[in-house]
């Protein structure tokens, strides 16, 4: 029987979860917390609360959030994908994006075969790593739920992702300055934009400008998101067998959300990234609650090594392919950041480097990678399962 905790009623647990998310956002203003990002921040707070016996490790309230928050978050985030905008992606950024996605899939598949019996639910973890490196943490979570991964596995994969991914992301933010001042790098990779080409015009949108969105837009985003989730859940229950039902549900939600995003009314709704992240964080709090630290530290070495192998080998393969096609440095960097993080982060890299003319290209690359991530992540996971006969 589970030990008694300080808080256990549904109302108290909901209060804690919403307060943890609020605190997770608030703490991002501090430099020592910001590199963690809101996702890992709320997971860590959740781990602390459950291991101090303030909240229970498991509860039906958490299960309800798992059922609704992740698919709703996936749907709301994808409502921003305007396929007409993808026409701005010319040959080079498309090659860079395709190379990044293919490289991640190849590395995750190969190392997934090797680590499958060394990591709990290893074939699922491979799919989750494909997701996080083709669209960020939101894809990792979506694929994990689609594959019915255990909460301990999700927490360990998130931790490994941040242990390996955060230093990589810091390096990528520094790369524009490193490249600009390095004759050796320019000699090795001579393909790049001129300063005049990157400067753009004065009408470029300011990335970090204040955002305005109304309660009506929030209401519509939630309503449309829940509608898509309900339709996809109903259809998946009718056409998919038990073994593929959860994965099929996530894929249907992804597809229906992309279709809905092409409706002009939906395209005018603002705030989908912010709202989708908020909903996802409510679920990630419960991931933190589920972690028993004694068991957790005993199972993270191999999964962290797995993660390092995927990101290292996929990056090297990506660089080889794009060097072969003579893709410009700026597109290479934005394709990597757009995949391992998301569109807004890729746009932020471009903005901080003063690459004004390609800020929107970075955003589009990340959004498109995020949409592809759910499809390729689940495909790689089931391919590994089929090969190994699980």
């Amino acid at each position: 029987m589970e030990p008694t905790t300080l808080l256990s009623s549904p109302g108290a647990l909901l209060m804690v979860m919403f307060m943890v998310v609020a605190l997770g956002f608030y703490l991002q203003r501090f430099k020592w917390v910001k590199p963690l990002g809101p996702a890992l921040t709320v997971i860590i707070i959740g781990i602390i609360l459950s291991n101090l016996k303030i909240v229970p490790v498991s509860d039906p309230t958490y299960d309800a959030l798992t059922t609704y928050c992740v698919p709703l978050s996936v749907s709301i985030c994808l409502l921003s994908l305007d396929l007409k905008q993808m026409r701005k992606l010319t040959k080079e950024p498309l090659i860079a994006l395709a190379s990044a996605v293919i490289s991640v899939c190849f590395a995750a598949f190969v190392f997934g075969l090797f680590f499958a019996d060394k990591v709990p639910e290893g074939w699922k973890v491979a799919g989750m790593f494909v997701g996080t490196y083709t669209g960020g943490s939101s894809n990792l979570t979506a694929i994990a739920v689609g594959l019915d991964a255990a909460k301990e596995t999700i927490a360990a994969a998130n931790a490994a992702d941040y242990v390996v991914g955060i230093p990589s992301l810091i390096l990528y933010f520094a790369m524009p300055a490193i490249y600009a001042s390095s004759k050796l790098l320019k000699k090795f990779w001579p393909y790049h934009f001129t300063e005049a080409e990157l400067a753009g015009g004065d009408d470029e949108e300011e990335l970090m400008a204040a955002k305005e969105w109304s309660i009506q837009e929030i209401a519509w985003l939630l309503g449309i998101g829940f509608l898509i989730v309900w339709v996809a859940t109903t259809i998946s229950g009718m056409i998919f067998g038990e073994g593929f039902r959860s994965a099929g549900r996530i894929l249907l939600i992804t597809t229906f959300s992309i279709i809905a995003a092409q409706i002009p009314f939906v395209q005018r709704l603002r705030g989908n990234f912010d709202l989708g992240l908020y909903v996802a964080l409510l679920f990630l709090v419960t991931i933190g609650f589920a972690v028993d630290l004694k068991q957790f530290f005993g199972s993270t070495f191999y999964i962290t090594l797995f993660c390092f192998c995927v990101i290292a080998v996929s990056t090297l393969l990506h660089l080889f392919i794009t060097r072969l096609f003579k893709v410009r440095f700026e597109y290479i960097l934005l394709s990597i950041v757009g995949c391992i993080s998301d569109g807004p982060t890729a746009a932020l890299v471009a903005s901080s480097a003063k690459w004004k003319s390609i800020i929107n290209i970075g955003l589009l690359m990340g959004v498109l990678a995020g949409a592809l991530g759910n499809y390729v992540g689940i495909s790689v996971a089931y391919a590994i399962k089929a090969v190994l006969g699980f």
Side-chain angles (χ1 to χ4, degrees), residues 31-350:
K31 291 182 179 180
W32 56 277
V33 177
K34 194 170 185 178
L36 298 176
L40 189 59
T41 301
V42 301
I43 289 176
I44 291 173
I45 297 173
I47 291 172
I48 294 170
L49 292 176
S50 64
N51 281 270
L52 291 178
K53 307 303 179 186
I54 295 173
V55 297
V57 170
S58 61
D59 190 89
T61 306
Y62 306 161
D63 298 334
L65 280 176
T66 301
T67 302
Y68 296 106
C69 283
V70 176
L72 182 63
S73 171
V74 171
S75 180
I76 291 175
C77 285
L78 286 173
L79 291 178
S80 65
L81 181 58
D82 183 356
L83 292 177
K84 291 181 181 178
Q85 293 292 317
M86 296 303 147
R87 289 180 295 186
K88 295 181 180 180
L89 295 178
T90 54
K91 180 181 178 181
E92 279 188 82
L94 283 175
I95 290 174
L97 184 60
S99 170
V101 173
I102 291 170
S103 299
V104 169
C105 289
F106 175 80
F109 178 77
V110 171
F111 288 105
L113 294 174
F114 178 78
F115 282 99
D117 60 347
K118 297 176 176 62
V119 174
E121 301 186 302
W123 67 277
K124 298 180 182 180
V125 172
M128 290 154 64
F129 283 157
V130 171
T132 198
Y133 297 130
T134 54
S137 297
S138 59
N139 273 20
L140 184 153
T141 305
I143 291 171
V145 172
L147 297 175
D148 291 323
K151 289 191 174 184
E152 294 82 1
T153 303
I154 301 173
N158 269 287
D161 174 32
Y162 277 93
V163 167
V164 177
I166 288 298
S168 303
L169 197 56
I170 292 171
L171 173 63
Y172 296 142
F173 267 95
M175 276 307 299
I178 295 173
Y179 181 83
S181 60
S182 174
K183 292 182 180 179
L184 181 62
L185 280 177
K186 287 182 178 178
K187 184 178 181 180
F188 174 71
W189 207 289
Y191 319 111
H192 58 86
F193 284 95
T194 65
E195 290 187 14
E197 289 172 327
L198 291 171
D202 295 331
D203 59 343
E204 294 291 339
E205 183 180 355
E206 185 182 350
L207 177 66
M208 301 305 289
K211 300 175 183 177
E212 293 184 3
W213 37 299
S214 69
I215 189 66
Q216 187 178 57
E217 287 171 305
I218 296 174
W220 275 113
L221 288 170
L222 288 171
I224 293 169
F226 272 117
L227 174 63
I228 290 171
V229 170
W230 172 73
V231 172
T233 301
T234 302
I235 294 176
S236 65
M238 295 168 58
I239 65 175
F240 296 126
E242 185 65 32
F244 189 73
R245 187 167 299 156
S246 294
R249 178 181 180 230
I250 291 295
L251 294 179
L252 286 177
I253 289 170
T254 301
T255 304
F256 294 158
S257 298
I258 293 173
I259 294 172
Q262 311 318 304
I263 302 171
F265 171 76
V266 176
Q267 292 173 351
R268 291 192 292 270
L269 298 176
R270 300 166 297 179
N272 34 47
F273 275 116
D274 304 77
L275 184 59
L277 174 62
Y278 180 82
V279 175
L281 290 180
L282 289 170
F283 165 74
L284 290 176
V285 175
T286 70
I287 294 299
F289 291 165
V291 174
D292 182 323
L293 286 177
K294 292 180 180 178
Q295 296 179 356
F296 180 76
F297 284 117
S299 63
T300 53
F301 172 75
Y302 276 117
I303 198 169
T304 303
L305 181 60
F306 184 6
C307 182
F308 174 79
C309 291
V310 170
I311 196 169
V313 172
S314 65
T315 300
L316 290 174
L317 180 59
H318 178 46
L319 292 175
F320 174 78
I321 294 172
T322 50
R323 183 66 174 77
L324 204 61
F325 283 93
K326 301 179 180 180
V327 178
R328 280 175 279 194
F329 164 76
E330 293 83 1
Y331 286 141
I332 305 302
L333 184 60
L334 294 183
S335 66
I336 294 174
V337 176
C339 284
I340 72 167
S341 187
D342 53 32
T345 305
L348 183 57
V349 169

